Amino acid sequence: MSNSIRFTYKDREYKLGFTRKTVKQMESGGFNIENIESKPLTTITELFAGSFLANHRFTKRELIDEIHVGFERKDELNTKLIELYNGTVSSLYGGDEQSEDNENLISWE
Amino acid sequence: MGVESNSQEQESKTYTEIFEENFPFYLSIGMTYEQFWEGDSTLPKFYLKAYEIRLDREREKINYSCWLQGLYDYEVMCSVSPIYQPFAKAGTKPKPYRPEPIPLTNEQIKKNEEEEIHKEVDKFRTFATMFNAKLKDKA
């Protein structure tokens, strides 16, 4: 089971994910996961950017957007991002919403 | 418990509110600030599981302890019951209280059994010595 999204971009390894602290930071910055239905594009973009905060907080926004645009299998990426984001809450209740066998699911070329 | 929460209530809360609401509980079961806020997001699940295991073990321990207490009480009641018989013979005495606690482990049981055997052997040896001495005297 993976609780991160790993990939390499321009010879640099990235490990995306969320901690409760970064989720709190995102929410205090105005992010609301419930907006995913009314504003899916903005929310997913912000969610992707937020997933850099835990391990790559100083990555520039332009680079984040550039990486996001080039990602393969966007649907799977989005599902995984939401899964990881929700995991910060579900694990508090002993739940496990993360799917298995998703290690290195996201490839980059 | 901090983890018990109404799902409808949860829906109206932000994640931050849910985190802050649950944070004291997780601190109370051993998570540190860093583990909760900055650590692996799945960690609470394992802390919760460990807490449940610990709780079960404590419950079992309390249950066993109460059962054992009941056993001692029962034994005492049985020991003293003869003197409370309405038609008990004069001079009836209660059985003495158990000199040692009830053995709880196999090791203790085995040790007690061995001690019991040693006592019996010593008794027999004393008896045999006395018997032989008497025989010698007669001869």
Side-chain angles (χ1 to χ4, degrees):
Chain A
M1 185 181 70
S2 166
N3 56 357
S4 63
I5 295 167
R6 293 162 190 264
F7 62 93
T8 307
Y9 179 68
K10 289 185 180 170
D11 296 331
R12 189 176 170 187
E13 284 185 11
Y14 289 87
K15 185 183 171 189
L16 307 186
F18 300 96
T19 65
R20 274 166 279 281
K21 192 176 182 180
T22 59
V23 169
K24 189 178 175 180
Q25 278 172 0
M26 288 166 71
E27 285 192 335
S28 59
F31 179 81
N32 186 352
I33 192 71
E34 285 179 14
N35 291 341
I36 202 144
E37 284 177 17
S38 54
K39 304 172 197 167
L41 284 178
T42 320
T43 309
I44 282 293
T45 310
E46 289 305 313
L47 192 63
F48 185 72
S51 68
F52 280 76
L53 288 173
N55 300 311
H56 313 281
R57 63 169 54 244
F58 299 113
T59 311
K60 287 182 178 170
R61 186 57 192 249
E62 295 82 48
L63 179 60
I64 292 174
D65 291 339
E66 186 186 312
I67 294 171
H68 194 205
V69 168
F71 247 102
E72 292 178 339
R73 293 179 288 166
K74 282 267 191 335
D75 284 349
E76 286 178 32
L77 170 69
N78 296 345
T79 308
K80 186 69 184 169
L81 281 171
I82 294 166
E83 216 172 70
L84 293 177
Y85 189 85
N86 287 336
T88 58
V89 160
S90 65
S91 71
L92 295 177
Y93 301 98
D96 188 5
E97 290 179 5
Q98 294 179 22
S99 58
E100 292 187 3
D101 305 325
N102 274 351
E103 188 83 36
N104 298 320
L105 177 76
I106 314 300
S107 60
W108 179 269
E109 286 173 2
Chain B
M1 199 166 79
V3 290
E4 285 170 7
S5 178
N6 187 310
S7 59
Q8 278 184 333
E9 268 178 34
Q10 264 183 53
E11 280 170 19
S12 59
K13 286 177 184 166
T14 64
Y15 280 26
T16 305
E17 284 169 335
I18 297 171
F19 297 156
E20 286 175 351
E21 191 180 277
N22 283 276
F23 182 41
F25 169 74
Y26 280 96
L27 279 180
S28 79
I29 62 170
M31 269 189 104
T32 62
Y33 175 92
E34 286 76 20
Q35 284 172 331
F36 185 85
W37 289 104
E38 295 161 25
D40 188 319
S41 65
T42 59
L43 207 51
K45 185 177 71 185
F46 300 106
Y47 266 87
L48 191 62
K49 187 72 192 160
Y51 169 72
E52 283 165 358
I53 292 171
R54 204 162 50 237
L55 214 60
D56 279 349
R57 218 161 36 210
E58 276 168 24
R59 281 195 200 111
E60 271 176 34
K61 198 175 150 189
I62 291 169
N63 199 13
Y64 186 76
S65 175
C66 290
W67 178 83
L68 197 61
Q69 182 64 56
L71 187 63
Y72 279 113
D73 293 344
Y74 177 79
E75 210 177 68
V76 166
M77 281 191 279
C78 290
S79 301
V80 298
S81 65
I83 60 168
Y84 292 112
Q85 292 282 348
F87 304 109
K89 284 180 187 169
T92 304
K93 286 180 180 174
K95 285 182 190 169
Y97 188 71
R98 167 184 283 280
E100 282 173 6
I102 296 170
L104 299 178
T105 61
N106 286 336
E107 206 173 89
Q108 281 177 323
I109 292 169
K110 202 176 170 189
K111 196 181 157 195
N112 282 11
E113 279 173 357
E114 277 171 10
E115 277 175 10
E116 219 31 62
I117 290 169
H118 280 298
K119 272 183 196 171
E120 290 300 317
V121 167
D122 284 345
K123 261 188 200 174
F124 181 75
R125 195 171 286 146
T126 312
F127 172 77
T129 312
M130 283 167 66
F131 187 78
N132 287 340
K134 272 184 187 175
L135 272 183
K136 239 184 199 178
D137 285 348
K138 277 185 183 175

